[in-house]
């Protein structure tokens, strides 16, 4: 069978891995890699035995499929150019910089009858396989996605950079319409929001509480789900899940507590999490997520089948992310229209008089010969984060 001619546009931190994986797929001919930084493109191309170009438009008539990993602000332009030619396109998340641009890409793909896949890589995380063992109708979902600042994706904020993963996952778990969104966020490094929290309520009663930060000291990627069927913890970093389910005895109210030694906490825990509640650890597919995603893309491009995350699903995530951003940017920090609004206008810290400062700050700033009440000159000057 004729190989699928593929190119990768944008071979920076993530795109070079796209190129490496695609080059190793037997059904693929990696025609070229493109990057405006031509030396970067040449370095990647040389290692993979392919061609480097500085302008992606040189590839429009030479390929069957393309993987795009350029900055989000360029997704509409670059992906749109390939979709206009009817070329199967995979674009990294988020699909575009705005819901309106994402809508345009979906319309282009539909009009040309070509594949549009979006790189929501967590859909391929083995941790999700835990839910295969216990189908759930979640009623409460709590997610934390925290990372350190990487100085990448600075053209967007944390909602489109990180929270979009959990927005997509939540939407894959409920088909219900959104009832309300309330969000708050702060800008730490300037520009866009770097920390955000959103509470999303759905018409079926499900509530999702999502927290994302790219200004965190520690990295966390976890989701917890509660439902009538049980409770699940998904750890996307360790790629495993934990399921907790009520025993039949608990469901039927037929518990025998006679064997529990209530004076020993360890005994109580063993009985609760073992007999009263069943606990299962689930370790999923050990394969590389990005490789699974790209294989899915090539398979869909070659066969016409639907990928795990197509343009319509990604557009739904973009629309909800847009609602989160609207709420976040309209948040009134002091509850009044005249007060500070949005992620970059949080109230200034309250200034404290020297008489309020006690303990280490005051006693370090004077020696025993100084008066008990330090002067303002002796107090350390506050600095920003």
């Amino acid at each position: 069978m004729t190989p699928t001619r593929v190119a990768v546009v944008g071979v920076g931190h993530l795109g070079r891995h796209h190129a490496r994986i695609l080059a190793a797929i037997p059904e693929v001919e990696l025609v070229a890699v493109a990057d405006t930084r031509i030396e970067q493109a040449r370095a990647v191309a040389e290692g993979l035995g392919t061609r480097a170009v500085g302008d992606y438009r040189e590839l429009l008539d030479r390929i069957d499929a393309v993987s795009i990993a350029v900055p989000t602000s360029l997704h509409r332009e670059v992906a749109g150019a390939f979709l206009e030619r009817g070329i199967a396109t995979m674009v990294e998340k988020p699909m575009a910089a705005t819901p309106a641009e994402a809508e345009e890409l979906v319309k282009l793909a539909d009009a040309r009858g070509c594949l549009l896949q979006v790189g929501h890589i967590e859909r391929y995380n083995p941790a999700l396989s835990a839910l295969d063992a216990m189908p759930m109708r979640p009623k409460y979902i709590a997610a934390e996605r925290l990372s350190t600042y990487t100085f990448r994706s600075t053209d967007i904020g944390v909602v489109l950079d990180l929270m979009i993963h959990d927005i997509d996952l939540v939407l894959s778990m409920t088909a219900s319409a959104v009832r309300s969104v309330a969000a708050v966020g702060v800008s730490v490094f300037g520009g866009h929001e770097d920390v955000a929290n959103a509470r999303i309520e759905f018409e079926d009663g499900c509530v999702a509480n999502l927290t994302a930060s790219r200004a965190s000291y520690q990295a966390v990627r976890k989701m917890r789900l509660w439902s009538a069927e049980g409770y699940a913890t998904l750890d996307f970093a360790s790629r495993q899940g934990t399921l907790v389910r009520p025993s039949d005895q608990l469901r039927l109210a037929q518990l025998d507590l006679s064997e529990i030694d209530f004076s020993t906490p360890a005994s109580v825990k063993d009985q609760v999490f073992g007999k009263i509640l069943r606990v299962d650890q689930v370790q999923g597919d050990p394969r590389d997520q990005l490789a699974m995603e790209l294989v899915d893309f090539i398979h869909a491009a070659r066969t016409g089948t639907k990928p795990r995350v197509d343009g319509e699903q990604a557009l739904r995530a973009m629309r909800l992310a847009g609602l989160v951003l609207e709420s976040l940017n309209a948040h009134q920090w002091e509850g009044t229209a005249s007060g500070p609004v949005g992620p970059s206008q949080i109230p200034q810290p309250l200034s404290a008089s020297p008489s309020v400062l006690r303990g280490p700050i005051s006693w370090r700033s004077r020696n025993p010969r100084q008066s008990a009440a330090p002067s303002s000159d002796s107090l350390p000057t506050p600095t920003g984060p």
Side-chain angles (χ1 to χ4, degrees):
M1 186 178 289
T2 305
T4 302
R5 300 172 300 165
V6 182
V8 177
V9 179
V11 285
H13 173 76
L14 185 57
R16 58 194 174 94
H17 294 298
H18 283 235
R20 170 182 57 80
I21 292 168
L22 286 166
I25 297 176
E27 298 85 5
V28 166
E29 176 192 352
L30 185 62
V31 173
V33 296
D35 202 296
T36 54
R37 302 160 299 173
I38 190 60
E39 291 305 320
Q40 171 73 6
R42 286 172 180 158
V44 173
E46 183 178 353
L48 298 174
T50 190
R51 181 187 173 202
V53 300
D55 189 338
Y56 68 88
R57 286 165 289 198
E58 295 181 33
L59 305 172
L60 291 173
D61 297 317
R62 302 182 55 229
I63 59 174
D64 307 306
V66 65
S67 179
I68 297 170
V70 298
T72 304
S73 57
L74 299 175
H75 283 189
R76 170 61 184 89
E77 172 195 331
V78 179
F82 289 97
L83 291 171
E84 283 276 11
R85 299 295 184 96
I87 295 170
T89 300
M90 175 174 153
V91 60
E92 266 300 337
K93 65 79 202 167
M95 178 161 54
T98 66
E101 290 185 353
E103 185 107 32
E104 291 173 4
L105 291 179
V106 171
K107 288 181 177 178
L108 269 176
D110 290 344
R112 298 298 185 271
C114 62
L115 169 67
L116 171 58
Q117 180 174 330
V118 181
H120 284 284
I121 195 169
E122 292 290 36
R123 290 281 203 103
Y124 300 84
N125 194 302
L128 282 177
S129 65
L131 300 184
D132 296 336
M134 187 177 73
M136 299 178 69
R137 294 167 297 169
K139 288 303 177 185
Y140 181 67
I141 303 171
E144 279 189 315
R145 189 167 295 266
L146 318 176
S147 77
T148 57
Y149 199 70
T150 63
F151 295 92
R152 296 191 299 271
S153 298
T154 55
D155 57 334
I156 55 176
V158 75
V159 171
L160 290 179
D161 185 16
L162 297 182
M163 188 183 285
I164 192 76
H165 283 297
D166 295 313
I167 289 174
D168 171 66
L169 290 171
V170 168
L171 290 176
S172 74
M173 298 170 186
T174 177
S176 181
V178 174
R179 176 186 295 161
S180 65
V181 175
V184 64
V186 296
S187 174
V188 177
F189 298 101
H192 303 279
E193 78 287 347
D194 298 302
V195 181
N197 174 266
R199 178 183 172 86
I200 304 163
E201 296 189 20
F202 294 89
E203 293 290 351
D204 67 355
C206 179
V207 174
N209 196 320
L210 311 181
T211 299
S213 172
R214 55 186 186 185
S216 176
Y217 182 71
Q218 291 182 317
V220 177
R221 291 158 54 201
K222 286 187 177 181
M223 178 176 283
R224 298 173 177 85
L225 306 96
W226 287 263
S227 74
E229 294 80 13
Y231 163 79
T233 296
L234 307 180
D235 190 327
F236 297 108
S238 66
R239 297 154 60 94
Q240 63 184 9
T242 302
L243 304 179
V244 180
R245 286 173 272 193
S247 65
D248 292 338
Q249 290 80 9
L250 178 58
R251 289 185 183 278
L252 298 173
Q254 297 176 350
L255 289 178
D256 179 5
L257 305 180
S258 61
E259 297 181 4
I260 301 179
D261 180 1
F262 290 98
S263 65
T264 309
S267 174
V268 175
K269 179 180 178 180
D270 289 343
Q271 290 291 324
V272 170
F273 293 98
K275 292 187 177 180
I276 299 175
L277 297 174
R278 173 183 168 186
V279 181
D280 295 302
Q281 300 290 338
V282 178
Q283 189 74 45
D285 193 323
R287 288 180 297 169
D288 178 78
Q289 290 171 234
L290 182 57
M292 295 169 67
E293 182 179 63
L294 290 169
V295 166
D296 189 22
F297 171 58
I298 296 302
H299 177 73
R302 290 174 68 85
T303 64
T305 54
K306 188 175 180 179
R308 197 167 297 186
V309 187
D310 62 9
E312 286 290 347
Q313 293 179 73
L315 177 57
R316 191 178 176 213
M318 282 294 301
R319 286 171 175 160
L320 182 47
L323 295 177
V324 170
L325 285 169
E326 284 181 17
S327 177
L328 182 149
N329 288 318
H331 178 76
Q332 297 177 348
W333 285 97
E334 295 177 347
T336 62
S338 60
V341 176
S344 59
Q345 298 181 29
I346 59 174
Q348 293 297 315
L350 294 174
S351 59
S353 64
S355 61
V356 175
L357 300 176
R358 302 297 186 194
I361 292 179
S362 58
W363 61 251
R364 280 187 199 147
S365 62
R366 67 179 189 269
N367 60 47
R369 294 183 180 180
Q370 290 178 308
S371 63
S375 69
S376 59
D377 291 339
S378 67
L379 295 172
T381 302
T383 59

